[in-house]
Amino acid sequence: MSFSIGGYVFKNRVICAPMAGVTDKAYRILTASFGCGLNFTEMISDQALLHGHRKTMEMLDLSQETVPAVVQLFGGQPQNMARAAAIAEKQGAIIIDINMGCPTPKIVKNGEGAALMKDLPRARELIRAVVNAVEVPVTVKMRKGWDDSSTNYLELCRIAEAEGVKAITLHPRTREQFFSGRADWKAIREAKAAVSIPVIGNGDIFEAGDALEMIRLTGCDAVMIGRGGMGNPFLFAATAAALDGEELPPTPTLAQRIQIALRHFDLMQELKGDERTISEMRKHLSWYIKGIPGAAQARNRINQANTREEISAILMSLLD
Ligand SMILES: Cc1cc2nc3c(=O)[nH]c(=O)nc-3n(C[C@H](O)[C@H](O)[C@H](O)COP(=O)(O)O)c2cc1C
């Protein structure tokens, strides 16, 4: 079953979450190959865009991707965000998402990310400025609120809809929770009842069955998968099949997991070169081998390795 945002139709309801340090182009090409219907970029700083930082401009490059990607921006000042959104649109963004959920101290102390949920008048002004600055659809990704005493997501959902936002994503934890406890899926159901724009449910989907359950319990229009896909892009294929009522693909073998880990490595190497790939792939590789006998020792060896050949040999040794 397809899903649409502001007139753009996606082939299914399975979305890969924005994750800083994870969802770069290599990762998005991989999730697309596993059947994910819509990707998000990593969050991109409005300031860095306005200054034209090279690595930030690179993050706007969506070429070679077979599945569309939403460009996610973060910032705290309406006019800066509006200017950054206009740049992103000019560079080819087809949908722009505003980050109102990042809990990281260095982000919220600047009034960005989840800090916007503490100041809804500014959140409204910021949304309005961005919507007015671009022609493309604008979406908002939010948490449940700042803390348990201020769970104002329904108010922010209504503000977003009234200001012309075309879809919202809700990760129903508060900022103070960071990633602790369980995502409160009831809040997704309430958001769905509160607005008529599409609601994307997010939080704690680790198996295809979790996605089915989230849709059943909340009625959300699409599901977004973050941590569950790290080192496990197979989850996108399984979830897409489950949501379309198809038979689930078989659980990947260890050999298949290693093969995909190396494919991920090669994709990144093509895009980012040797040095960055070795250092950035270390965390991905540790996710790919998590839970396998010998993983801890292999991880230590990967952290010392400096070439693809060494990494490949370490991964292959896990098959013995
Ligand atoms: C490593 C990491 C980086 C993240 N970076 C972002 C980000 O750049 N923008 C954003 O909106 N959310 C970010 N998130 C939050 C995820 O998009 C998602 O909302 C959260 O992980 C809950 O979904 P999950 O339970 O499927 O992981 C990040 C999460 C993780 C684990």
Side-chain angles (χ1 to χ4, degrees), residues 23-61:
T23 57
D24 61 359
K25 183 194 280 291
Y27 190 81
R28 297 193 301 265
I29 290 176
L30 200 63
T31 60
S33 74
F34 277 90
C36 165
L38 176 63
N39 274 310
F40 272 63
T41 64
E42 304 169 79
M43 64 178 195
I44 300 175
S45 153
D46 65 342
Q47 296 291 333
L49 260 194
L50 294 176
H51 288 108
H53 289 168
R54 189 179 55 82
K55 276 195 187 159
T56 306
M57 298 307 286
E58 257 174 47
M59 290 164 92
L60 290 178
D61 171 18

Side-chain angles (χ1 to χ4, degrees), residues 15-23 40-44 59 72-74 97-104 141-143 169-173 178-179 183 185 201-206 214 224-230 235 283 287:
I15 303 176
C16 177
M19 289 189 286
V22 178
T23 57
F40 272 63
T41 64
E42 304 169 79
M43 64 178 195
I44 300 175
M59 290 164 92
Q72 191 191 59
L73 300 178
F74 74 97
D97 186 69
I98 305 173
N99 180 323
M100 296 202 176
C102 181
T104 308
K141 182 164 177 286
M142 66 180 79
R143 283 188 172 238
T169 304
L170 178 59
H171 171 207
R173 286 187 172 88
F178 286 80
F179 288 92
W185 289 359
N202 170 232
D204 298 349
I205 294 176
F206 295 103
M214 180 188 273
M224 177 184 277
I225 299 175
R227 291 164 300 164
M230 298 188 326
L235 179 58
K283 61 176 183 278
W287 296 327

Side-chain angles (χ1 to χ4, degrees), residues 49-292:
L49 260 194
L50 294 176
H51 288 108
H53 289 168
R54 189 179 55 82
K55 276 195 187 159
T56 306
M57 298 307 286
E58 257 174 47
M59 290 164 92
L60 290 178
D61 171 18
L62 307 177
S63 60
Q64 298 171 259
E65 295 183 38
T66 53
V67 155
V70 174
V71 170
Q72 191 191 59
L73 300 178
F74 74 97
Q77 296 306 324
Q79 287 321 314
N80 289 342
M81 277 291 275
R83 285 168 54 213
I87 294 172
E89 180 182 45
K90 204 157 155 232
Q91 297 294 316
I94 60 156
I95 299 177
I96 291 171
D97 186 69
I98 305 173
N99 180 323
M100 296 202 176
C102 181
T104 308
K106 79 169 198 271
I107 302 290
V108 297
K109 84 170 178 349
N110 294 331
E112 303 166 344
L116 285 157
M117 296 197 74
K118 281 211 289 199
D119 185 352
L120 293 190
R122 190 160 53 90
R124 181 194 288 275
E125 209 191 317
L126 192 149
I127 291 170
R128 185 174 293 173
V130 172
V131 168
N132 286 336
V134 295
E135 301 281 327
V136 296
V138 174
T139 60
V140 170
K141 182 164 177 286
M142 66 180 79
R143 283 188 172 238
K144 208 173 140 187
W146 181 261
D147 61 19
D148 276 343
S149 70
S150 60
T151 51
N152 53 4
Y153 59 102
L154 290 180
E155 214 179 327
L156 183 54
C157 285
R158 292 193 185 102
I159 288 173
E161 181 172 44
E163 295 298 337
V165 160
K166 299 292 188 234
I168 55 150
T169 304
L170 178 59
H171 171 207
R173 286 187 172 88
T174 64
R175 184 271 172 180
E176 290 292 281
Q177 279 183 290
F178 286 80
F179 288 92
S180 69
R182 285 209 48 133
D184 174 13
W185 289 359
K186 281 197 314 302
I188 299 172
R189 189 175 66 214
E190 283 159 15
K192 181 70 194 146
V195 291
S196 314
I197 51 177
V199 172
I200 301 164
N202 170 232
D204 298 349
I205 294 176
F206 295 103
E207 291 175 19
D210 297 333
L212 283 175
E213 190 66 358
M214 180 188 273
I215 290 182
R216 188 180 72 77
L217 290 173
T218 70
C220 63
D221 298 277
V223 295
M224 177 184 277
I225 299 175
R227 291 164 300 164
M230 298 188 326
N232 183 24
F234 306 93
L235 179 58
F236 293 98
T239 306
L243 296 194
D244 283 341
E246 291 164 7
E247 201 182 319
L248 295 195
T251 308
T253 61
L254 177 54
Q256 285 168 327
R257 282 162 73 172
I258 290 173
Q259 186 199 354
I260 296 305
L262 288 171
R263 178 151 151 240
H264 190 166
F265 188 102
D266 293 341
L267 279 170
M268 196 187 285
Q269 199 168 32
E270 250 173 59
L271 295 160
K272 291 187 170 172
D274 292 347
E275 211 173 306
R276 272 172 81 188
T277 299
I278 296 280
S279 77
E280 290 187 28
M281 274 305 291
R282 288 194 172 120
K283 61 176 183 278
H284 288 285
L285 294 169
S286 78
W287 296 327
Y288 278 104
I289 62 175
K290 206 170 89 190
I292 293 169

